[in-house]
Amino acid sequence: MSISFLDSYMSKIRVLPEILSNKIAAGEVVERPASVVKELVENAIDAGSTRIMVEIEQGGRKLIRVSDNGQGMGRDDALLCLERYATSKIASDPDLFAISTLGFRGEALPSIAAVSRFNLVTRASGADIGTRIDVAGGRINQVADTGAPVGTMITVAGLFYNTPARRKFLKSINTEMGHIADTIASMALCRPAIQFRLSHNNRVVKSWAAVSDPANRVADVLGASVRDALCPVDHRDEAVEVRGWVAAASLTRSTARGIYVFVNGRWVKDRIVRHAVFAGYSGRLMKGQYPVVVIFLKVPFDQVDVNVHPTKHEIRFVRQKQVHDTIRDAVFQGLKQSDPTRWNAPAPPRTRPSNQPVAVAEKHAGFRSSPASDGRQPVNFRPRSGSPRDVAPRNANDAIGRRKADERSTSLPPDPFPSGVSDGRQEPLWKPRFFADLTIIGQYKGTYIICESADGLILIDQHAAHERIVFETLKRQSAQQRPSAQRLLIPETIDLGFREAGILEKLAPALDRYGLEIDPFGGNTFAVKAVPTLLDSGDVAALVTELVEKAADIGVDADTETILDGCLMVMACHNAIRAHQRLSDIQISIMLEQLDICDNPSHCPHGRPIWIRWTLKNLEKQFHRIV
Ligand SMILES: Nc1ncnc2c1ncn2[C@@H]1O[C@H](COP(=O)(O)OP(=O)(O)OP(=O)(O)O)[C@@H](O)[C@H]1O
Ligand SMILES: [Mg+2]
């Protein structure tokens, strides 16, 4: 038999030496200095420490040292902890499905030690002497007794010194330091009772004292300006509990770095969780904006699998939908309070005061001309062209009073609860007034409404505001009953492309819910027979075409609600009053009144802000009246 023949039959598969397999594991666990910090700090937390110090040199390239005052280790454990799959945190199969510690895989320390010069000094409480172990590239060089305080100190020098390819991927000192600071910030947010200190090149960068109130830690870590925008979240649905804070949508980031979600004390960057947070902000954020949230989720340990990825940032929930919806609802509830117009609202009384004409205001959401045939149709509030405007301060209430007189003269019945619109069950019984109490100063460029509030100056984008009003009114009405529709004298026919026709065919029955009646008319042609009374019947063809485009954009596979919300946005945008359009006092005051009825009077359906405010203090600062 020739040698080469023998060769081909010899076994090619071999078990890798431990040092090599640890190096491979390090590829997953240790991506950069911040990963080392995360693993070491997690170990310190699991060890019950109350003080954790992190020292960094050269962004972690030169040195990373984490010292804690936790339970420490005896010599045997200190040696064992460097072995792969050696852990004190789980012992049996069932433990794997009820993990309450941050670590459990027993691979962090051997992985780190495989790609650095590693030094461990530790002393268990009750032990007279500590242990010191030196490791280089995964090989133990020295084990010795040493004097040491109770706790553990691990020093990682020359990270990736023996894997030059990895070292090449390290970014600048500032970038790596940024990641480290983020990692520590996340841990600190979740463990307010632990004191943390981070230093870089022997200079203390961050120091957070232990606090008993988690809100104080949030303020320490995220800054006072964030704290001021935060409002509490406290929501529970069966076994899932969500607590923490969400920031008003006026405070956003351009990256997801302000999203801190902790599941059972673990910081996760989970896709489902993130999606739920965004869903809770729905309609409040513009494309590319990210919210700031600090949320602590408690899920029964056996309902979450953290053993999905070596870094444990991703997790899997047994009841994914329940967790998703609970987070979404919690965020949504929290944000409702974040709206400054609601922020200081007193507790709702049992009945709605008579000065809250919800139903009446709803009827005017269209701002459009329509015959007051049955006394329940929208009154004509289309702006009179060229109506001159003065800029003397006027109170919205005066104008409302005048409007009410007008309504009486057009024989509108003074029924505050017209059938099916507001019977106290579908509508909140009470809504605080904010916009209706503003004093109207005037309109700027026919686009922005200028108002005065008790503590400052308010600028309202009239198109965004009206878009929101029409959007919510249609949504609210369709949830209660099919909104009133006006039949077109001659149905408007629309020819679409093949693909668009397919979309509209599917969409048409759902649009009927809003009073938009569209029937197939053979081939790719459709006939629009009725439009919601709230909408302008002027350019129906353009509206329907845009609706189809929107649905195509969202994707026909999305759920109906999402597609219909998209359609509502289009309808609202089409019918909202435009920029460069002069409004009368009455139109402005009705709009303000209607904003008070909206669930989200802060953002248009696309997420653009509706209004901005300058406080008097802020103005005085800018004029150097105060310092
Ligand atoms: N700072 C520390 N104080 C006390 N014991 C520690 C400390 N760091 C590590 N240990 C011990 O060493 C063991 C191994 O640590 P290692 O981080 O490698 O694994 P783990 O934490 O169990 O799991 P994971 O790999 O998921 O982090 C731990 O289970 C723990 O018993
Ligand atoms: Mg660990």
Side-chain angles (χ1 to χ4, degrees):
M1 241 183 281
S2 76
I3 303 243
S4 61
F5 181 77
L6 251 182
D7 262 0
S8 65
Y9 276 91
M10 267 172 47
S11 161
K12 289 178 182 159
I13 301 174
R14 62 184 71 90
V15 175
L16 297 177
E18 192 176 335
I19 290 184
L20 184 52
S21 62
N22 281 340
K23 259 189 178 179
I24 293 170
E28 291 177 313
V29 178
V30 190
E31 189 199 340
R32 59 187 344 144
S35 343
V36 174
V37 171
K38 170 187 172 285
E39 294 299 338
L40 299 183
V41 174
E42 282 188 352
N43 281 345
I45 292 171
D46 282 345
S49 312
T50 57
R51 201 185 62 235
I52 300 174
M53 310 293 172
V54 181
E55 294 163 67
I56 306 291
E57 284 180 29
Q58 304 296 328
R61 278 170 165 259
K62 190 170 170 201
L63 178 133
I64 299 165
R65 176 177 293 137
V66 175
S67 350
D68 66 56
N69 64 349
Q71 65 197 24
M73 286 177 272
R75 178 182 277 230
D76 290 348
D77 279 348
L79 281 165
L80 258 181
C81 78
L82 294 167
E83 306 248 344
R84 191 111 186 267
Y85 305 126
T87 180
S88 59
K89 299 171 190 176
I90 57 170
S92 63
D93 262 22
D95 290 351
L96 194 53
F97 301 98
I99 289 167
S100 59
T101 47
L102 294 170
F104 59 90
R105 298 171 64 104
E107 62 180 357
L109 293 188
S111 304
I112 297 167
V115 291
S116 67
R117 295 188 189 90
F118 182 98
N119 169 268
L120 164 73
V121 175
T122 185
R123 176 157 79 92
S125 54
D128 299 333
I129 194 98
T131 305
R132 175 199 165 105
I133 302 179
D134 288 317
V135 187
R139 245 175 266 280
I140 296 182
N141 289 335
Q142 195 189 14
V143 182
D145 286 345
T146 183
V150 171
T152 303
M153 180 175 85
I154 291 177
T155 308
V156 175
L159 183 64
F160 298 137
Y161 82 98
N162 54 346
T163 48
R166 300 296 304 273
R167 201 169 164 85
K168 255 196 343 231
F169 279 104
L170 289 181
K171 297 278 185 294
S172 70
I173 289 179
N174 280 347
T175 304
E176 296 301 343
M177 213 38 216
H179 287 290
I180 291 171
D182 279 353
T183 302
I184 300 204
S186 71
M187 310 248 188
L189 277 173
C190 191
R191 316 278 163 166
I194 300 178
Q195 177 197 348
F196 287 89
R197 198 178 68 194
L198 168 66
S199 58
H200 187 219
N201 297 342
N202 296 318
R203 215 172 49 83
V204 176
V205 191
K206 302 264 180 219
S207 179
W208 295 304
V211 286
S212 53
D213 181 354
N216 291 339
R217 179 56 65 81
V218 172
D220 282 352
V221 174
L222 299 182
S225 62
V226 172
R227 178 196 50 206
D228 294 344
L230 291 177
C231 48
V233 168
D234 193 346
H235 187 76
R236 194 186 176 96
D237 186 14
E238 292 178 32
V240 180
E241 184 187 297
V242 187
R243 302 181 77 167
W245 294 268
V246 289
S250 51
L251 186 113
T252 54
R253 299 270 187 266
S254 55
T255 68
R257 280 168 64 181
I259 302 178
Y260 292 96
V261 179
F262 303 88
V263 178
N264 295 341
R266 182 188 306 280
W267 181 33
V268 298
K269 293 176 179 164
D270 187 74
R271 204 172 47 83
I272 299 289
V273 166
R274 202 167 275 184
H275 186 273
V277 169
F278 275 92
Y281 271 86
S282 163
R284 291 175 193 257
L285 298 172
M286 282 173 68
K287 226 178 180 171
Q289 284 186 330
Y290 292 79
V292 177
V293 306
V294 181
I295 289 179
F296 304 98
L297 209 70
K298 259 200 204 159
V299 184
F301 289 123
D302 60 351
Q303 298 277 307
V304 49
D305 183 1
V306 288
N307 190 21
V308 177
H309 192 269
T311 63
K312 308 176 199 91
H313 277 316
E314 287 166 33
I315 49 180
R316 211 169 279 147
F317 297 104
V318 175
R319 297 200 186 145
Q320 189 166 297
K321 180 159 170 38
Q322 185 203 9
V323 172
H324 175 277
D325 292 356
T326 310
I327 298 175
R328 180 200 59 202
D329 295 348
V331 171
F332 183 78
Q333 297 297 342
L335 281 172
K336 266 191 157 177
Q337 313 158 49
S338 82
D339 195 331
T341 61
R342 311 256 190 272
W343 188 238
N344 293 318
R350 287 179 160 257
T351 52
R352 196 179 69 214
S354 57
N355 63 353
Q356 296 299 310
V358 171
V360 172
E362 217 163 62
K363 280 191 283 180
H364 301 310
F367 274 80
R368 54 183 300 271
S369 179
S370 177
S373 53
D374 64 357
R376 290 172 189 242
Q377 295 294 316
V379 176
N380 182 1
F381 285 116
R382 190 166 280 296
R384 276 156 298 190
S385 56
S387 66
R389 301 209 26 88
D390 66 60
V391 290
R394 294 171 293 268
N395 189 299
N397 290 330
D398 301 343
I400 290 168
R402 266 181 281 141
R403 179 174 57 80
K404 281 183 181 152
D406 288 351
E407 283 166 3
R408 276 192 293 279
S409 69
T410 53
S411 76
L412 258 183
D415 175 8
F417 301 115
S419 60
V421 176
S422 176
D423 64 3
R425 266 175 292 129
Q426 290 101 332
E427 285 296 333
L429 287 177
W430 181 88
K431 294 268 190 176
R433 295 164 66 86
F434 173 78
F435 295 101
D437 282 343
L438 297 176
T439 302
I440 302 162
I441 296 176
Q443 219 185 350
Y444 174 63
K445 297 264 183 208
T447 300
Y448 303 102
I449 299 164
I450 311 170
C451 297
E452 184 182 332
S453 72
D455 66 342
L457 209 55
I458 305 240
L459 214 57
I460 298 171
D461 180 325
Q462 64 193 42
H463 174 71
H466 198 220
E467 241 185 331
R468 166 56 65 184
I469 291 165
V470 177
F471 177 83
E472 285 204 17
T473 307
L474 277 173
K475 201 171 165 90
R476 196 161 41 222
Q477 287 182 344
S478 67
Q480 292 162 354
Q481 61 174 34
R482 187 176 184 264
S484 61
Q486 48 170 326
R487 302 223 130 254
L488 302 183
L489 276 178
I490 305 165
E492 174 127 7
T493 51
I494 300 169
D495 285 317
L496 295 171
F498 169 74
R499 185 169 157 267
E500 288 75 19
I503 293 174
L504 187 55
E505 203 171 302
K506 284 196 198 128
L507 198 61
L511 290 175
D512 192 69
R513 229 164 86 179
Y514 301 120
L516 188 56
E517 200 183 316
I518 304 171
D519 283 346
F521 204 63
N524 295 340
T525 308
F526 292 82
V528 183
K529 295 189 167 162
V531 293
T533 316
L534 268 182
L535 301 190
D536 196 336
S537 55
D539 200 353
V540 174
L543 170 69
V544 174
T545 311
E546 215 178 300
L547 286 176
V548 174
E549 272 166 18
K550 184 76 182 181
D553 243 20
I554 296 174
V556 276
D557 293 336
D559 61 289
T560 320
E561 231 25 68
T562 310
I563 295 178
L564 285 182
D565 266 5
C567 291
L568 273 189
M569 279 185 209
V570 173
M571 293 190 210
C573 188
H574 251 257
N575 287 273
I577 49 164
R578 301 274 147 203
H580 310 297
Q581 190 169 326
R582 286 284 170 201
L583 299 177
S584 70
D585 280 2
I586 289 187
Q587 288 171 327
I588 293 176
S589 54
I590 292 175
M591 187 188 282
L592 297 181
E593 195 185 313
Q594 288 168 339
L595 274 179
D596 275 331
I597 296 164
C598 289
D599 276 336
N600 177 5
S602 297
H603 296 85
C604 79
H606 305 100
R608 279 201 306 117
I610 288 175
W611 59 284
I612 49 179
R613 163 166 56 190
W614 289 278
T615 60
L616 180 60
K617 207 162 152 198
N618 193 267
L619 286 173
E620 286 184 334
K621 257 191 193 163
Q622 291 197 35
F623 285 113
H624 300 288
R625 282 173 170 272
I626 53 171
V627 279

